[in-house]
């Protein structure tokens, strides 16, 4: 027999449901994803477009939000052959028509990519969002978007001033 001093019974502590703790990078990725999905639901406009070999690359929106730039793009395939993407790169190009030596092309690395297509079947159009660090084009600067095919020679280059 055990002796006890009081008649109190310890309260059972109810465990709180675990909250998912996200660090700032994960929160940013979740936010990029949700804002990109929102942009994909909006009605598309055409800022610039380039068609080559049945592959059409279209820049539909350029949105500045917080400290990022969101590029909404669409790729369409009417070539009759499936287009497998190797890469899509975005460059900031500055050039001077008078001086051919002053040509500069800087690649802008994406922070986040939403719905990037690996394969575009014949007759298919796919929209996706590229999230880049915020940048503003200068007077003589352009944006160059380059889409290259995997194991093939097809390449589409879209140049725009905005």
């Amino acid at each position: 027999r055990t002796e006890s001093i009081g008649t109190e019974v310890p309260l059972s502590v109810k465990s709180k449901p675990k909250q998912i703790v996200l660090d700032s990078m994960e929160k940013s990725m979740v936010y990029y994803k949700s804002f990109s999905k929102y942009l994909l639901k909006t009605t598309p406009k055409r800022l610039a477009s380039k068609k080559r070999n049945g592959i059409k690359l279209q820049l539909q929106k350029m949105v500045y939000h917080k400290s990022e730039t969101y590029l909404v793009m669409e790729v369409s395939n009417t070539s009759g052959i499936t287009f497998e993407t190797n890469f899509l790169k975005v460059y900031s190009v500055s050039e001077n028509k008078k001086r051919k030596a002053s040509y500069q092309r800087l690649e802008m690395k994406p922070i986040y990519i939403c719905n990037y297509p690996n394969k575009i079947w014949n007759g298919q159009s796919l929209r996706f969002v590229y999230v880049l660090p915020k940048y503003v084009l200068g007077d003589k600067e352009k944006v160059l978007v380059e889409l290259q095919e995997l194991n093939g020679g097809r390449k589409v280059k879209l140049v725009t001033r905005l």
Side-chain angles (χ1 to χ4, degrees), residues 22-114:
L22 299 176
D23 66 355
S24 63
M25 193 65 180
E26 289 172 329
K27 283 182 183 177
S28 297
M29 290 300 158
V30 169
Y31 184 77
Y32 297 151
K33 183 176 182 177
S34 64
F35 193 69
S36 297
K37 296 280 185 188
Y38 164 75
L39 287 174
L40 288 172
K41 289 178 187 173
T42 59
T43 53
K45 298 173 184 166
R46 189 176 80 223
L47 295 178
S49 181
K50 178 74 176 196
K51 187 173 184 177
R52 185 162 185 184
N53 298 331
I55 305 298
K56 184 165 103 177
L57 178 62
Q58 193 175 77
L59 178 61
Q60 295 181 339
K61 252 185 194 172
M62 190 168 172
V63 178
Y64 295 104
H65 185 68
K66 294 190 177 184
S67 60
E68 294 84 34
T69 302
Y70 293 79
L71 299 178
V72 181
M73 293 182 261
E74 182 178 62
V75 179
S76 304
N77 184 1
T78 56
S79 66
I81 305 168
T82 302
F83 186 86
E84 293 184 50
T85 58
N86 184 15
F87 64 81
L88 186 133
K89 293 185 180 179
V90 180
Y91 300 97
S92 172
V93 178
S94 61
E95 62 182 334
N96 188 343
K97 294 283 185 190
K98 295 174 187 168
R99 298 177 62 188
K100 295 197 184 231
S102 70
Y103 177 84
Q104 188 177 31
R105 185 169 98 169
L106 298 171
E107 183 179 349
M108 294 185 281
K109 299 277 186 194
I111 301 170
Y112 180 78
I113 304 168
C114 181

